[in-house]
Amino acid sequence: MRYGYFDEKAREYVITRPDTPTPWINYIGNGKYGGIVTNTGGGYSFHKDPQNRRITRYRYNNLPTDRPGRYIYVRDRLTGEYWNPGYQPVQRKLDSYRCRHGMGYTVLEGEYKGIAADVTYFVPDDRDFEIWLVQIRNLCHVERNLQVFSYAEFCFWDAIMDQQNVDWVQQINQGRYEDRLITWHPHHFKDACAFFATNAEINSFDTNLEAFIGRYRCESNPIAVETGACSNSVSYRMNGVGAFCIDVNLKPGEEREIIFILGFTENKSTIRDEIRDYLNVEYAKEALKRLKDSWEEYLDKLQIETPDRETNLFVNTWNQYQCKITFNWSRFVSMYSWGLGRGIGIRDSAQDTLGVMHSIPELAGGLIKRLIHCQYTDGRVYHLFFPLTGEGGIGDAPVVKFDWYSDDHLWLPIAANAYLKETANFDFFQSVVPYNDNKTEGTVWEHLNRAMEFTYNHRGPHALPYSRADWNDTLNLDMGNGIAETLFTSMLFSEPPLKRFRCRISDKRIATKYRYWYDEMKQAINEWCWDGEWYIRAFDDEGNVLGSGKNRYGKIFINSQSWAVLSMVAPEEYAKKCLESVYRHLNTKYGIVKVYPAYPEYNPKIGGMTTYPPGAKENGGIFAHTNPWVMIAECMMGNGRRAYQYYRQILPLTRNDDADLLEVEPYVYCQNILGKEHPQFGIGRNSWLTGTAAWNMVAVSQYILGIRPEYDGLTVDPCIPPDWKGFKVRRIFRGCVYNIEVRNPEGVRRCEKNCRRGVETDKIPVKPAGTVCECVVIMG
Ligand code: NOJ
């Protein structure tokens, strides 16, 4: 069954039925004020930090599902019937329904008995508020007397406290009304407040939720809507709502437009000035146009034209869009992480910068510095931090608790390296950033070196990094003996400054040290970790091997194979063999599973991953984030056909017609899909905020199409399926527009003289900013 389609021209995904298998969402806002909007109007809003400054509520794990949201009710005064253009919460069957998720905005369109009502949600000009633009038309031949009601359910700003200390929260909440403006704030805050406003003449209002809903009722049958008037309630305690009732009489063919604004301010007295312009419909529409233009500008940095329309659609629009959303919110706030407890992940956000580096390198550089600020003086980093308060820590990992992850700090050099390749701004190394205690500081270069040193200084009996947990949060081997070791982190350690930066290090002593460290790690990996057909995954805290053919379960893990190639520690023969083993043992039609065979039951010596049943998440699920690493490795080995096969396997839109099985949105990557050992093989979960977005962007643009930024130019090193006759890429790099056409007349899979593993690649030199560079590459 399909629930929608891609409108390529409008860059929208259009949902045509409201009963999607899970709420299919979109994000509004640019990373400051923002929110989640579902296809039936559900969702919530927040300002800078969804844990510490939540604006509206969402009921987690709730039935009925996906409540509450940003609701508009339309009521016919003659019959008393009422409905929502987005179907929820009244759930009256509409004569027609559409939800259009676009770049930074969502439109809900519902028609019922001759009344067409649309509502567009967006955040204008990166302001601290959102607009709901309602358009309501009478399609009948008779005049219609209608009413429009709004509903925004306020949340106490501390979203955890909102659930925990109900007594306190309900005693201090205050809602006030004055001239079409509702304000909402805790009693002890005098200036800061959330607010809700409209441009329309109102019939009545409510600021008190209980008054609007009525006793033993809910969002689907509020007493105010049912009776056709709010009660002008002032809220001295309890719960709050932004509710207006507006009378709308429409002659045949007539249309009316209404604006609602929901937002947050630090200074109550400035609200009216802040929103005045935006209460004007024409001004609001112009702001929507500006928003669309800004997304076009963002996407314009990279546009491709390949023989595969679906790849084009994804790279040109949806994958890039998702990369920006992950850049904004890390893994903090989605339908799976509800903006509680998680914060901005250091490892996650460092990887997220890779997906937007080509389009917004300066913002990416800024985020990298913010992540670097999370570093302890000994070189490790917080696991996550909260953007509003700056507080950081290890987070809320279930089951097993530990004080640092072996890999978090090592993603910083990788991100910094990507920034330098995009910008060549080597002064970045010299910028000074405080350590997380704010008492000491160091240059970026010093920070990155401390990250490397921390790992080098924390190694186990095989000279490999200790493991509490690594990229795989749930592989928790440390039982207190301090000898568990991780191969993944060993390989990650071998990837960045060690190889990449050394060409830029003028200090010969440091360069020699890094070369020595790299050789030492490479030797340890190949001496202790080659299992015959693939690399093992780890040593547990008793010195036993995980990820060996000799193990009964968990014989082969994906990451030690892909990263053996990415880090270039594997000799060619091993590299070929281990990738072949991935194909043979781990590949499925929906993607490559993370480990096989999965562990059948909980094993405290392995930790969190064995809390999952076989085939789920890290225990044998298709953890999509890991798949592009295999694509990249295949490209590095020259296997374009296989890299592309892996790319297509997890391309979400290929499952648009299979949505009842996939369940999650077909327009963005999800984090995980249940694997072949699970009875529900193929179901996706945890859509939107996943490293899958950034790494697929890297895999397809830099390795399959092969357009890679380097310190001194743009490499063109495609590794494509041999039946592609060529492709075009428009890439803006350091201010110059590169129009690159790659032709493949002989049907080869890569340019012969290009080879990632050692040999020189073709490079277009850096051209002056403001120029256009036309470039044709003939493969073969
Ligand atoms: C999700 C986390 O956000 C990410 O940091 C981690 O690498 C994966 N889980 C795998 O465990």
Side-chain angles (χ1 to χ4, degrees):
M1 164 87 78
R2 67 157 61 176
Y3 291 81
Y5 63 91
F6 290 86
D7 181 339
E8 287 182 43
K9 211 159 152 263
R11 297 196 200 273
E12 289 173 350
Y13 188 83
V14 185
I15 300 168
T16 49
R17 23 185 316 163
D19 57 341
T20 48
T22 56
W24 285 6
I25 72 163
N26 194 11
Y27 284 78
I28 57 172
N30 205 15
K32 193 168 54 132
Y33 182 95
I36 287 176
V37 185
T38 77
N39 60 303
T40 60
Y44 52 105
S45 302
F46 35 86
H47 181 238
K48 293 185 181 168
D49 181 329
Q51 175 170 307
N52 292 301
R53 198 172 278 161
R54 186 75 63 116
I55 309 296
T56 54
R57 265 198 197 130
Y58 196 70
R59 285 185 253 290
Y60 320 115
N61 270 335
N62 185 45
L63 286 177
T65 195
D66 188 19
R67 305 248 180 120
R70 303 168 182 81
Y71 295 135
I72 294 295
Y73 301 81
V74 182
R75 179 175 184 275
D76 186 325
R77 282 157 79 189
L78 195 64
T79 63
E81 263 191 313
Y82 55 92
W83 63 95
N84 310 101
Y87 178 67
Q88 282 249 64
V90 173
Q91 295 192 350
R92 187 169 312 277
K93 192 171 174 339
L94 300 166
D95 297 332
S96 79
Y97 156 91
R98 287 204 312 178
C99 163
R100 296 195 278 118
H101 284 321
M103 309 283 105
Y105 68 92
T106 287
V107 187
L108 298 175
E109 303 173 346
E111 196 182 312
Y112 183 68
K113 292 194 176 166
I115 298 299
D118 303 350
V119 47
T120 306
Y121 304 101
F122 66 103
V123 175
D125 302 321
D126 207 14
R127 305 300 294 258
D128 292 329
F129 50 81
E130 64 190 65
I131 292 181
W132 309 359
L133 170 60
V134 178
Q135 295 169 302
I136 179 160
R137 279 183 304 285
N138 180 2
L139 308 175
C140 308
H141 297 294
V142 291
E143 181 168 338
R144 300 286 292 272
N145 296 328
L146 307 166
Q147 290 179 312
V148 168
F149 290 80
S150 64
Y151 180 98
E153 181 176 329
F154 292 114
C155 185
F156 186 64
W157 302 337
D158 179 333
I160 294 180
M161 203 56 89
D162 192 65
Q163 302 292 308
Q164 273 178 353
N165 197 338
V166 175
D167 180 36
W168 184 55
V169 164
Q170 290 187 350
Q171 295 286 1
I172 64 175
N173 280 336
Q174 301 291 309
R176 296 290 184 274
Y177 168 83
E178 193 191 310
D179 186 18
R180 292 179 278 180
L181 174 66
I182 289 170
T183 53
W184 180 256
H185 60 92
H187 173 66
H188 57 301
F189 278 79
K190 287 292 168 234
D191 293 324
C193 71
F195 60 85
F196 192 74
T198 181
N199 66 341
E201 282 303 323
I202 66 163
N203 156 318
S204 48
F205 68 88
D206 271 315
T207 72
N208 181 267
L209 181 68
E210 287 74 15
F212 181 80
I213 294 285
R215 290 186 189 168
Y216 296 96
R217 289 169 174 263
C218 67
E219 309 97 318
S220 57
N221 60 354
I223 191 75
V225 181
E226 199 159 297
T227 55
C230 296
S231 59
N232 295 341
S233 58
V234 174
S235 203
Y236 297 106
R237 47 187 282 281
M238 297 302 286
N239 294 294
V241 71
F244 291 120
C245 168
I246 295 160
D247 295 333
V248 179
N249 297 336
L250 293 176
K251 297 204 170 51
E254 198 184 352
E255 177 177 277
R256 173 95 182 266
E257 294 176 309
I258 301 168
I259 297 220
F260 297 102
I261 295 186
L262 170 67
F264 180 87
T265 182
E266 306 275 358
N267 185 352
K268 208 191 296 182
S269 64
T270 63
I271 297 175
R272 288 189 196 274
D273 287 343
E274 285 173 34
I275 64 175
R276 181 168 297 112
D277 289 342
Y278 295 90
L279 286 172
N280 175 304
V281 172
E282 289 317 311
Y283 195 89
K285 285 182 181 170
E286 279 165 25
L288 179 60
K289 162 102 178 36
R290 283 197 292 279
L291 176 74
K292 290 181 182 176
D293 290 347
S294 73
W295 277 105
E296 286 302 322
E297 197 185 320
Y298 167 82
L299 297 171
D300 185 51
K301 306 288 182 345
L302 176 72
Q303 290 289 296
I304 67 167
E305 205 182 311
T306 75
D308 179 350
R309 231 186 93 233
E310 295 180 328
T311 296
N312 300 345
L313 172 59
F314 237 67
V315 172
N316 293 339
T317 302
W318 290 95
N319 193 175
Q320 292 205 62
Y321 181 53
Q322 185 179 1
C323 284
K324 181 61 172 40
I325 304 299
T326 60
F327 177 80
N328 290 347
W329 293 115
S330 198
R331 309 293 170 269
F332 199 177
V333 58
S334 68
M335 295 304 268
Y336 308 90
S337 287
W338 277 325
L340 307 172
R342 281 258 345 208
I344 302 288
I346 311 306
R347 162 207 297 151
D348 298 318
S349 287
Q351 293 174 81
D352 294 341
T353 63
L354 307 179
V356 298
M357 199 56 84
H358 62 280
S359 46
I360 45 170
E362 290 318 323
L363 291 180
L367 179 58
I368 293 168
K369 281 195 205 163
R370 196 150 186 215
L371 302 177
I372 288 177
H373 187 178
C374 293
Q375 191 173 34
Y376 294 89
T377 45
D378 67 6
R380 74 204 149 96
V381 287
Y382 291 149
H383 187 55
L384 49 82
F385 76 101
F386 293 90
L388 192 69
T389 60
E391 286 166 359
I394 209 70
D396 60 351
V399 188
V400 188
K401 297 285 173 207
F402 36 82
D403 49 2
W404 51 270
Y405 289 70
S406 66
D407 68 314
D408 283 342
H409 48 282
L410 293 176
W411 295 101
L412 297 174
I414 291 194
N417 190 41
Y419 170 77
L420 294 174
K421 286 190 167 181
E422 187 65 36
T423 61
N425 172 19
F426 284 93
D427 291 346
F428 185 73
F429 274 150
Q430 302 315 321
S431 344
V432 174
V433 180
Y435 287 90
N436 64 17
D437 58 8
N438 281 322
K439 290 184 193 129
T440 47
E441 57 182 26
T443 62
V444 166
W445 176 245
E446 283 158 4
H447 278 271
L448 300 182
N449 278 287
R450 285 196 192 188
M452 300 302 292
E453 274 157 18
F454 183 83
T455 296
Y456 190 77
N457 294 335
H458 290 81
R459 288 178 302 148
H462 302 89
L464 304 171
Y466 282 139
S467 189
R468 285 151 154 89
D470 58 25
W471 170 89
N472 184 355
D473 298 309
T474 60
L475 184 60
N476 315 123
L477 305 175
D478 184 19
M479 306 287 292
N481 301 333
I483 61 163
E485 292 170 295
T486 152
L487 190 60
F488 176 83
T489 303
S490 319
M491 291 169 169
L492 191 65
F493 176 80
S494 308
E495 162 65 4
L498 294 187
K499 286 199 317 289
R500 299 264 178 92
F501 287 173
R502 73 179 176 215
C503 62
R504 290 279 154 184
I505 302 169
S506 49
D507 182 333
K508 289 279 168 294
R509 205 175 38 86
I510 297 184
T512 309
K513 179 179 86 176
Y514 279 152
R515 199 162 314 124
Y516 174 75
W517 283 7
Y518 172 68
D519 291 343
E520 196 186 351
M521 193 64 81
K522 180 176 172 174
Q523 192 191 335
I525 290 170
N526 286 303
E527 185 176 339
W528 299 109
C529 306
W530 180 249
D531 195 56
E533 296 292 319
W534 58 78
Y535 285 94
I536 63 157
R537 178 61 172 83
F539 292 97
D540 71 14
D541 216 19
E542 291 164 352
N544 303 311
V545 172
L546 272 87
S548 159
K550 296 187 198 76
N551 294 127
R552 182 152 177 215
Y553 303 106
K555 284 175 185 292
I556 170 168
F557 286 69
I558 188 171
N559 285 350
S560 1
Q561 322 317 324
S562 53
W563 276 86
V565 182
L566 264 68
S567 62
M568 297 196 206
V569 294
E572 180 144 3
E573 183 204 341
Y574 289 7
K576 281 186 182 154
K577 270 194 182 169
C578 71
L579 289 183
E580 200 47 40
S581 297
V582 167
Y583 188 68
R584 195 152 3 109
H585 300 290
L586 302 180
N587 193 39
T588 77
K589 63 178 175 177
Y590 296 131
I592 313 167
V593 299
K594 206 208 87 184
V595 55
Y596 184 79
Y599 295 96
E601 53 201 32
Y602 179 59
N603 180 346
K605 292 185 185 170
I606 296 175
M609 70 178 276
T610 61
T611 60
Y612 292 108
K617 294 262 290 192
E618 282 100 328
N619 189 19
I622 297 158
F623 212 94
H625 186 157
T626 63
N627 282 220
W629 290 336
V630 185
M631 294 168 208
I632 294 172
E634 289 289 1
C635 286
M636 289 170 69
M637 299 304 294
N639 296 330
R641 194 195 297 273
R642 192 166 280 171
Y644 181 63
Q645 177 191 341
Y646 288 146
Y647 178 75
R648 290 277 314 176
Q649 272 174 188
I650 60 162
L651 192 61
L653 64 70
T654 61
R655 299 193 58 191
N656 193 43
D657 293 350
D658 181 28
D660 279 319
L661 177 57
L662 181 65
E663 293 195 354
V664 291
E665 300 91 328
Y667 42 91
V668 287
Y669 287 101
C670 62
Q671 181 214 55
N672 69 87
I673 296 170
L674 292 174
K676 58 184 176 177
E677 294 181 80
H678 196 284
Q680 292 176 305
F681 177 39
I683 292 184
R685 269 298 176 279
N686 213 332
S687 51
W688 282 94
L689 299 188
T690 160
T692 318
W695 279 106
N696 265 295
M697 197 65 215
V698 172
V700 67
S701 62
Q702 299 190 26
Y703 288 86
I704 296 179
L705 302 182
I707 315 294
R708 274 195 299 280
E710 302 288 352
Y711 305 120
D712 53 355
L714 206 53
T715 291
V716 183
D717 180 21
C719 190
I720 55 176
D723 54 337
W724 278 18
K725 292 285 170 247
F727 63 88
K728 292 181 184 164
V729 171
R730 181 176 183 280
R731 167 78 153 88
I732 299 182
F733 178 58
R734 300 191 200 158
C736 168
V737 179
Y738 292 80
N739 290 319
I740 303 167
E741 181 179 354
V742 174
R743 295 185 196 149
N744 187 18
E746 292 165 26
V748 299
R749 57 186 186 180
R750 80 179 318 167
C751 299
E752 264 311 303
K753 65 176 181 161
N754 290 349
C755 178
R756 270 284 283 157
R757 290 181 60 81
V759 190
E760 277 287 291
T761 52
D762 276 337
K763 205 174 289 164
I764 313 172
V766 180
K767 305 278 181 185
T771 60
V772 177
C773 171
E774 305 289 339
C775 168
V776 178
V777 175
I778 316 271
M779 295 178 69

